[in-house]
């Protein structure tokens, strides 16, 4: 069995007593080698989760382990790109890549960085770059580190569709070649849907869905039919128009398709339904269950 | 050794990030050294030229020498001012270093978010801070040592008629090892202020205030840092180079009266009467001889280094607690 890229146990984070919990009681496991979409509405705790995994913050409670060790110990093997793409404004593009080599002497892969940063004006100061160019440079810095785990917070937000497509292609090629685990957060699912095989859905500071995207989708069904009791299935969301019932349910055993018109929901429908129904219970597939400390082999 | 090699990369990045500031600082230090050397040589030349002439600055110059002596004193005074100005800049240096470390170096990274880049490379936050401090520490060690040495040399070489008092704050704080201790202290306070306050302008303000207050307080209480010697007697023979701490009257039982009670007496008879009334038999003077220069320097340096170490320990501890 492959190891865990990230394993959180009862992870919680607060930025001060008045502001409440940014993340609370988060337990999940992300197996290594996955491309994971970390989705959720604004303020759900996605950035906090990524910062904790990157070792930028210390958890207020619980623990997070990354690549089998603490985030601090795993620092050389993690790359992180923050939402606002901070870079040293007074350095040029070439200087920034040089700094990447100086700060990651053991792992720096110049060719990988150049593949991403190639189209950028090498002598331009970072402060003169456009948002999209900064994203490209930040990603070049992250890929040049040749990490085992990439934590990308809203990476693509500043990019036009063409650049997004191109960078995503490069990123996926690198990940496939080196077996890199990638966690990409976004509040726009469609941005990630095509590329990711794993899903973490965070809402209100908690993980509500976690696991292989296919398995999560397959665990749910969109049913329509005459209004009646849906037991034993878990109803995530339902709507009745006249005697017609439309519902998104979590399957607990087979669905009777003689009574119901059953279709598979899209991932987006699934997430929207969960967003509208905060009381729906969380679902983690077996691979996404945190194994506590006992599982140490 | 391994610490040194792992610091090399981050330190080089720090130098690249702040290269303009470092160039300017280096240029100013060089300018200071040149100004001091030129002033010293010029002063010596002016003194030589005057002394080989017919006039003397001592006593009554006489009609023909009045103007040359006056010109000579004016020139020498103006030149000795150059030393004072350089010394003032050297005294302000700890504040400037602290401001630079607190603001542009540390708080700006925390404020603008670039710390997220620095801390997610292969270098731990502690190494990042160590590199941020190693660079200014190395530069201030070199720069301040050279400036202090050249200033001390220039003061003695110029040999102007304006005497240099070793205990003068402007002299004492800019000679010996104190300039280094002050600068190092300023840097460490800057580091702690930057990490604590996390915003550029407030951080550099706090750093300057704390460093300024601490150094002013130490200068104020400098006399207390080493036990003074005491001179007693009916008349006091105060010599040149003594740093007066306290003077007053002594009674026959040896009790000290800090107020010179009888100095306001109208006549000599009144004064004697007054002395008898107060049972005053002599005077005392607490003072530091010039040989206390090094003891006081070393005690003050010790205090500053201890405070600097405390600030550093707090800074690293805070960084560790925040990032895990």
């Amino acid at each position: 069995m492959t190891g865990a890229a990230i394993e959180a146990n009862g992870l919680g984070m607060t930025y001060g007593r008045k502001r409440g919990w940014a993340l609370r009681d988060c337990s999940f496991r992300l197996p290594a080698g996955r491309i994971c979409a970390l989705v959720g509405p604004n303020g759900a705790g996605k950035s906090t989760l990524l910062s904790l995994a990157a070792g930028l913050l210390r958890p207020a409670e619980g623990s997070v382990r990354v690549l089998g060790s603490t985030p601090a110990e795993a620092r050389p093997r993690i790359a992180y790109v923050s939402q606002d793409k901070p870079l040293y404004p007074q350095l040029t593009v070439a200087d920034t890549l040089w700094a990447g080599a100086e700060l990651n002497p053991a792992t720096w892969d110049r060719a990988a960085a150049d593949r991403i940063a190639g189209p950028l004006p090498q002598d331009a100061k970072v402060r003169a770059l456009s948002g999209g160019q900064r994203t490209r440079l930040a990603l070049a810095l992250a890929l040049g580190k040749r990490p085992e785990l990439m934590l990308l917070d809203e990476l693509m937000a500043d990019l036009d569709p063409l650049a997004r497509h191109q960078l995503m292609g490069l990123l996926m090629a690198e990940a496939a070649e080196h077996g890199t685990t990638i966690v990409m957060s976004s509040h726009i699912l469609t941005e990630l849907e095509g590329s990711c095989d794993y899903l973490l859905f965070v809402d209100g500071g908690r993980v509500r869905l976690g696991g292989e995207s296919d398995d999560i989708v397959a665990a749910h069904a969109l049913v329509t039919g005459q209004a009646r009791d849906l037991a034993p299935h878990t109803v995530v969301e339902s709507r009745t128009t006249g005697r017609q019932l439309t519902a998104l349910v979590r399957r607990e055993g087979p669905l009777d398709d003689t009574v119901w018109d059953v279709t598979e929901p899209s991932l987006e429908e699934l997430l929207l339904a969960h967003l509208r129904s905060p009381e729906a219970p969380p679902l983690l597939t077996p691979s996404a269950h945190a194994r506590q400390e006992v599982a140490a082999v | 050794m391994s610490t040194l090699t792992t610091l090399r990369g981050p330190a080089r990045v720090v130098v690249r990030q702040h290269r303009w500031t470092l160039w300017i600082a280096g240029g100013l230090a060089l300018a200071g050294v040149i100004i001091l050397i030129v002033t010293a040589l010029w002063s010596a030349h002016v003194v030589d030229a005057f002394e080989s002439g017919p006039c003397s600055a001592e006593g009554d110059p006489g009609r023909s020498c009045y103007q040359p002596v006056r010109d000579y004193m004016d020139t020498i005074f103006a030149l000795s001012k150059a030393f004072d100005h350089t010394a003032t800049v050297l005294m302000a240096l700890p504040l400037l270093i602290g401001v630079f470390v607190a603001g542009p170096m540390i708080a700006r990274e925390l404020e603008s978010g670039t710390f997220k880049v620095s801390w997610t490379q292969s270098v731990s936050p502690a190494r990042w801070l160590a590199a941020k401090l190693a660079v200014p520490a190395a530069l201030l060690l070199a720069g301040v040592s050279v400036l202090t040495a050249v200033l001390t040399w220039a003061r003695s070489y110029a040999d102007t008629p304006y005497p240099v008092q070793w205990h003068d704050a402007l002299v004492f704080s800019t000679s010996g090892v104190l300039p280094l201790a002050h600068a190092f202290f300023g840097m460490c306070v800057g580091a702690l202020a930057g990490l604590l306050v996390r915003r550029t302008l407030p951080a550099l303000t706090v750093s300057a205030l704390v460093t300024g207050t601490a150094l002013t307080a130490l200068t104020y209480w400098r006399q207390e840092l080493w036990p003074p010697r005491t001179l007693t007697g009916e008349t006091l023979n105060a010599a040149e180079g003594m740093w007066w701490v306290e003077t007053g009257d002594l009674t026959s039982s040896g009790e000290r009266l800090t107020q010179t009670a009888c100095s306001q007496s109208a006549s000599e008879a009144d004064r004697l009467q007054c002395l008898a009334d107060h049972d005053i038999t002599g005077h005392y003077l607490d003072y530091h001889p010039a040989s206390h220069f090094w003891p006081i320097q070393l005690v003050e340096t010790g205090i500053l280094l201890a405070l600097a170490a405390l600030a550093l320990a707090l800074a690293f501890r805070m960084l560790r607690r925040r990032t895990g």
Side-chain angles (χ1 to χ4, degrees):
Chain A
M1 193 191 77
T2 56
I6 303 181
E7 185 155 2
N9 275 302
L11 188 61
M13 185 66 201
T14 170
Y15 297 101
R17 220 166 273 165
K18 280 183 195 157
R19 288 195 259 176
W21 292 87
L23 210 60
R24 190 86 205 253
D25 201 16
C26 265
S27 298
F28 67 89
R29 179 175 176 277
L30 169 65
R34 299 303 187 128
I35 311 293
C36 174
L38 175 62
V39 293
N42 291 325
K46 305 188 293 291
S47 297
T48 301
L49 184 55
L50 291 179
S51 294
L52 286 166
L56 287 174
L57 296 174
R58 169 177 282 232
E61 58 175 37
S63 71
V64 59
R65 291 183 69 76
V66 177
L67 301 167
S69 49
T70 65
E73 287 162 354
R75 197 181 308 275
R77 299 188 284 150
I78 311 173
Y80 167 82
V81 178
S82 165
Q83 196 168 0
D84 43 355
K85 317 312 182 286
L87 291 164
Y88 307 121
Q90 70 271 41
L91 295 189
T92 63
V93 170
D95 281 345
T96 304
L97 296 175
W98 166 85
E102 288 288 327
L103 296 175
N104 304 288
T107 54
W108 188 251
D109 181 344
R110 174 132 195 231
D114 284 345
R115 270 198 291 283
I116 307 287
L120 297 174
Q122 296 293 306
D123 293 327
K125 287 257 164 71
V126 165
R127 67 162 67 88
L129 297 182
S130 70
Q133 288 175 316
R134 285 167 61 112
T135 300
R136 197 175 263 277
L137 184 55
L139 186 60
L141 200 57
L143 272 175
K145 195 178 176 183
R146 179 64 70 234
E148 291 168 44
L149 169 66
M150 295 187 85
L151 305 167
L152 308 174
D153 198 359
E154 302 274 2
L155 181 74
M156 301 292 183
D158 294 326
L159 294 178
D160 63 71
L162 190 64
R164 184 176 300 184
H165 188 77
Q166 191 214 353
L167 278 192
M168 198 65 121
L170 281 168
L171 189 59
M172 292 307 141
E174 294 284 337
E177 192 182 334
H178 298 98
T180 318
T181 311
I182 300 183
V183 184
M184 305 179 79
S185 82
S186 179
H187 57 277
I188 307 163
L189 174 73
T190 45
E191 202 174 273
L192 307 175
E193 197 172 6
S195 322
C196 299
D197 58 6
Y198 216 80
L199 179 79
L200 276 175
F201 171 57
V202 190
D203 184 21
R206 287 160 201 273
V207 175
R208 295 186 57 197
L209 295 171
E212 296 82 353
S213 344
D214 292 346
D215 293 356
I216 289 181
V217 171
H220 294 83
L222 204 54
V223 296
T224 45
Q226 281 208 329
R228 71 172 74 184
D229 189 18
L230 275 159
H233 309 293
T234 309
V235 180
V236 176
E237 183 193 37
S238 69
R239 191 167 57 247
T240 330
T241 356
R243 287 191 305 180
Q244 182 79 4
L245 174 80
T246 310
L248 187 100
V249 299
R250 201 168 287 164
R251 301 164 186 265
E252 311 287 346
L255 272 163
D256 186 356
D257 56 6
T258 55
V259 184
W260 300 101
D261 181 14
V262 180
T263 57
E264 189 168 82
S266 74
L267 203 48
E268 190 162 18
E269 283 171 315
L270 192 66
L271 293 182
L272 283 173
H274 279 84
L275 274 178
R276 286 189 293 254
S277 316
E279 72 285 357
L283 172 72
L284 294 181
T285 69
S287 71
H289 270 289
R291 273 149 223 226
Q292 304 293 336
E293 303 299 311
V294 189
V297 183
Chain B
M1 194 59 218
S2 68
T3 315
L4 270 184
T5 48
T6 49
L7 271 186
R8 202 178 59 201
R12 286 174 63 170
V13 174
V14 169
V15 169
R16 183 76 62 105
Q17 281 176 304
H18 300 285
R19 67 186 135 178
W20 288 114
T21 316
L22 298 180
W23 274 118
I24 291 169
L28 289 177
L30 189 64
V33 167
I34 291 172
I35 288 173
L36 284 174
I37 293 176
V38 168
T39 311
L41 294 177
W42 194 3
S43 299
H45 171 74
V46 171
V47 173
D48 284 351
F50 179 79
E51 283 176 352
S52 63
C55 300
S56 166
E58 309 287 325
D60 179 19
R63 183 178 282 268
S64 64
C65 277
Y66 180 74
Q67 197 55 37
V69 167
R70 197 179 150 163
D71 289 348
Y72 166 70
M73 295 307 279
D74 284 354
T75 312
I76 289 298
F77 184 71
L79 288 174
S80 71
K81 275 285 160 209
F83 296 144
D84 288 352
H85 292 317
T86 319
T88 310
V89 173
L90 199 54
M91 274 183 82
L93 213 54
L95 257 68
L96 296 179
I97 290 169
V99 158
F100 173 64
V101 170
M105 266 197 145
I106 292 178
R108 194 170 67 193
E109 277 227 26
L110 299 176
E111 187 174 39
S112 68
T114 52
F115 74 95
K116 294 181 206 164
V117 182
S118 311
W119 296 359
T120 49
Q121 306 307 311
S122 304
V123 178
S124 71
R127 284 272 154 78
W128 165 86
L129 182 58
K132 291 242 162 198
L133 295 177
V135 170
L139 294 178
L140 75 84
L141 189 68
V144 172
S145 307
V146 169
L147 271 175
T148 311
V150 173
L151 181 60
T152 307
W153 168 82
R155 275 180 181 138
S156 64
Y157 186 84
D159 191 27
T160 67
Y162 294 96
V164 177
Q165 297 290 351
W166 67 272
H167 52 80
D168 189 66
L170 211 50
V171 176
F172 194 88
S173 297
T174 56
S175 39
V177 289
L178 265 190
L180 270 181
H182 283 192
F184 188 69
F185 172 75
M187 183 188 88
C188 296
V189 169
L192 182 60
L195 280 173
L196 269 176
V197 181
R198 295 198 241 177
R199 283 183 299 132
T200 310
L201 278 177
L204 62 86
T205 313
V206 166
S207 166
L209 282 178
V210 171
T211 309
T213 311
L215 294 188
T216 310
L218 268 177
T219 308
Y220 185 77
W221 279 297
R222 186 170 285 153
Q223 290 190 322
E224 322 288 325
L225 297 181
W226 195 254
R229 287 197 195 152
T230 306
L231 203 61
T232 54
E234 284 185 39
T235 52
L236 297 173
N237 296 315
E240 184 75 6
M242 280 185 176
W243 187 12
W244 288 35
V245 178
E246 190 184 278
T247 184
D249 301 325
L250 281 176
T251 65
S252 60
S253 60
E255 198 190 337
R256 286 181 164 201
L257 300 173
T258 48
Q259 301 293 335
T260 40
C262 301
S263 58
Q264 304 289 324
S265 308
S267 68
E268 182 64 12
D270 281 357
R271 199 178 71 86
L272 288 174
Q273 184 59 46
C274 170
L275 289 179
D277 288 349
H278 287 86
D279 188 24
I280 289 171
T281 56
H283 308 283
Y284 73 92
L285 167 66
D286 287 344
Y287 71 101
H288 288 294
S291 63
H292 283 184
F293 175 82
W294 280 110
I296 299 176
Q297 280 259 333
L298 293 177
V299 169
E300 189 169 339
T301 300
I303 294 172
L304 284 167
L305 290 186
L307 290 175
L310 183 69
L312 270 193
L314 282 175
F316 276 100
R317 197 179 127 95
M318 233 179 61
L319 200 58
R320 182 165 277 279
R321 283 176 69 111
R322 200 182 295 164
T323 59

